[in-house]
Amino acid sequence: MRTAAPVSLPVALTIAGSDSGGGAGIQADLKTMEAHGVFGTSAITSVTAQNTRGVEGFATLPVEEVEAQCEAVLSDFDVRAVKTGMLAEAPVVRSVAEQVAEVDVPVVVDPVMVAASGDRLLDSAGEEAYEDLFEHATLVTPNADEAEVLTGIEPTDDERAEAAGEALRELGADAALVKGGHVPGETVRDVLVTDDGTTVFEHPRIDTDATHGSGCTLASAVAARLALGDDLETAVSGATDFVERAVRYNLDVGEGPGAVHHLAELRNRAARNDTAEAVEAVVRSFVERDVSALVPEVGMNVVGATPSAERVGETAAVEGRITRTLSGVNPNRGVRFGASSHVARFLLSAREFDSDLRFAVNCRFDADVEDALSTLRGEVAEFDRDAEPEDVKAEEGSTMGWGAKQAFQSADGTPVAIIDRGEVGKEAIVKMLAEDAETLQRRTFAVLDALRAKE
């Protein structure tokens, strides 16, 4: 018999409706809490029949059943934060307000009124009852539509969102996060209003309709981070980043738009070791085959991105690059995350057009290499630095994004390689791209073999 090794996790409670489609409600809350390393408990207020296409019906549980669930959890667990979601009817809202009044922990209130599909999830009496709950709220997280219903202010810009947030604080909440997902624009601007002032969290808008469950996920992410001990602004900042990734790498499930991917960030972190090992394997093969003929003067680097990489720090590369020596090629140091800047930024930029791309390598470029590239199966694209706008040149790090955009827009699909012919004082380079390390290795060796065949 083995000795048990219990793990102690902070506990959070979600009081919300059940989503039979699994993307929102209690299901989204528990997935999000688990992804943050928080033990999620629940009290179900309503049972919905819904999927990715919409809500087909729902039934609210009797108030005493909701109270019994809350009592069962609160009497046994050391709950560090509470999150409320779909409460459906005024009696439930008032009852939950009484329940959370008895606990001295952060309370995040997501005033769920309408589903992403447009289906109503709260009656008018319930809207009025929310004032009782707001008196005990550490944070309320309405979207633009909910903020307008609750305050009469349509948050069409930062100033009006701040006014709506202040109105919500006047109703009793300690702080308000007026979400900008429903406000048109190229960016999503979530406005946090607290005693200390206003903070705006800005993220690029993701071109997708798969946002089912994003509001539940954001509120439960904040609650989880508060349970872990974050201050409010840090919790909101981390939660908005978490949701951005969950929406971009959404799950293609059901016949509707799909659902946010609650475990995208967790799985991304879990893939770091495998990604680094894949880069190391490619580097070893390059040393064994001696790819000197493809190493540019600035050195070569192999970069691998985690499945939902968004930042340079989520890409693994050789620290100091791979350089030519008298006996072949050699990596200057080992593989670590964040080691590459140039090639990593180019790969991340390419992933904006094809998120399946995971690996890249930079190689020298001349007429012989160009001929060798023609042996690859797939399109070879390029961009012309002479056409680079002055404002892009002036902004550090922008060239890679601009170049990738030009190359992808000129190609019929995802190119296997992208040529940068350079400019005065800049070496010409070709970057090869692939979805996996084995394909990147195979393409590099195919070009190398074609070069050697000409010798």
Side-chain angles (χ1 to χ4, degrees):
M1 182 179 294
R2 302 190 69 191
T3 302
V7 176
S8 179
L9 298 178
V11 178
L13 167 63
T14 169
I15 308 171
S18 170
D19 173 10
S20 56
I26 288 285
Q27 287 83 348
D29 297 340
L30 295 178
K31 291 173 187 177
T32 300
M33 291 172 180
E34 186 72 22
H36 281 83
V38 171
F39 185 84
T41 60
S42 64
I44 298 175
T45 60
S46 299
V47 177
T48 68
Q50 64 175 306
N51 51 36
T52 57
R53 296 190 300 266
V55 180
E56 298 177 4
F58 70 89
T60 304
L61 272 64
V63 172
E64 55 269 22
E65 295 293 342
V66 178
E67 292 174 346
Q69 294 175 77
C70 291
E71 173 62 23
V73 172
L74 295 171
S75 65
D76 184 42
F77 295 89
D78 179 20
V79 173
R80 302 289 180 85
V82 176
K83 177 262 180 183
T84 72
M86 177 186 175
L87 302 181
E89 297 177 359
V92 177
V93 178
R94 295 193 182 98
S95 172
V96 171
E98 294 174 1
Q99 296 281 333
V100 299
E102 301 298 320
V103 296
D104 186 21
V105 298
V107 177
V108 179
V109 175
D110 185 18
V112 178
M113 298 177 179
V114 182
S117 59
D119 298 290
R120 291 283 299 182
L121 299 174
L122 181 71
D123 60 21
S124 57
E127 295 170 5
E128 297 174 3
Y130 259 106
E131 292 187 25
D132 295 338
L133 184 54
F134 287 170
E135 293 180 5
H136 310 291
T138 304
L139 178 71
V140 294
T141 62
N143 60 34
D145 300 327
E146 293 158 349
E148 184 177 6
V149 169
L150 292 164
T151 68
I153 301 171
E154 184 181 5
T156 53
D157 54 32
D158 290 355
E159 185 177 353
R160 291 179 66 82
E162 181 178 4
E166 290 292 358
L168 289 164
R169 293 186 66 241
E170 290 174 6
L171 291 175
D174 293 341
L177 178 67
V178 181
K179 298 176 294 190
H182 292 186
V183 179
E186 288 295 311
T187 60
V188 175
R189 298 175 65 81
D190 301 316
V191 180
L192 175 65
V193 183
T194 70
D195 272 336
D196 297 327
T198 300
T199 305
V200 178
F201 301 91
E202 182 177 358
H203 292 87
R205 188 175 298 278
I206 309 300
D207 184 18
T208 180
D209 292 326
T211 58
H212 179 59
S214 57
C216 306
T217 300
L218 177 60
S220 55
V222 174
R225 289 169 181 269
L226 291 174
L228 289 165
D230 282 359
D231 62 78
L232 183 60
E233 186 169 329
T234 301
V236 172
S237 177
T240 54
D241 287 344
F242 179 88
V243 172
E244 180 190 14
R245 196 190 302 260
V247 170
R248 185 180 182 208
Y249 299 94
N250 59 80
L251 293 168
D252 183 13
V253 292
E255 296 183 7
V260 299
H261 190 178
H262 306 94
L263 300 185
E265 184 171 297
L266 182 66
R267 291 184 175 179
N268 192 60
R269 293 199 301 269
R272 287 173 66 91
N273 189 57
D274 286 346
T275 302
E277 288 183 352
V279 171
E280 289 169 350
V282 172
V283 172
R284 284 196 303 271
S285 72
F286 283 5
V287 172
E288 291 170 1
R289 285 287 302 272
D290 185 8
V291 296
S292 298
L294 288 174
V295 175
E297 290 183 12
V298 295
M300 170 187 281
N301 215 329
V302 178
V303 178
T306 51
S308 59
E310 295 285 294
R311 297 178 288 274
V312 168
E314 294 172 328
T315 64
V318 177
E319 188 171 11
R321 301 195 178 191
I322 301 168
T323 55
R324 286 179 293 215
T325 70
L326 293 176
S327 58
V329 298
N330 193 55
N332 295 135
R333 287 184 287 278
V335 171
R336 71 169 178 84
F337 279 87
S340 170
S341 174
H342 181 93
V343 182
R345 287 200 307 272
F346 191 86
L347 176 58
L348 291 173
S349 297
R351 283 171 53 81
E352 290 296 316
F353 301 93
D354 185 347
S355 60
D356 289 333
L357 291 172
R358 296 274 311 279
F359 294 86
V361 60
N362 65 314
C363 302
R364 76 173 180 86
F365 179 78
D366 59 17
D368 290 337
V369 173
E370 186 167 16
D371 288 342
L373 287 170
S374 66
T375 65
L376 295 177
R377 294 181 180 177
E379 186 171 2
V380 177
E382 64 179 84
F383 63 92
D384 182 3
R385 288 208 187 200
D386 289 337
E388 185 179 2
E390 290 300 322
D391 59 331
V392 174
K393 291 181 181 179
E395 186 177 348
E396 185 178 357
S398 295
T399 295
M400 293 301 97
W402 176 84
K405 182 178 181 180
Q406 300 306 305
F408 271 83
Q409 288 182 341
S410 67
D412 291 332
T414 298
V416 297
I418 296 177
I419 298 168
D420 172 5
R421 295 182 184 274
E423 57 183 354
V424 177
K426 297 286 186 180
E427 184 181 7
I429 296 286
V430 59
K431 298 178 183 68
M432 284 186 277
L433 304 166
E435 295 182 4
D436 56 73
E438 293 77 12
T439 301
L440 184 74
Q441 181 188 75
R442 186 173 64 252
R443 287 173 179 166
T444 306
F445 289 162
V447 173
L448 182 66
D449 291 343
L451 273 178
R452 288 176 174 171
K454 293 186 66 174
E455 294 178 355

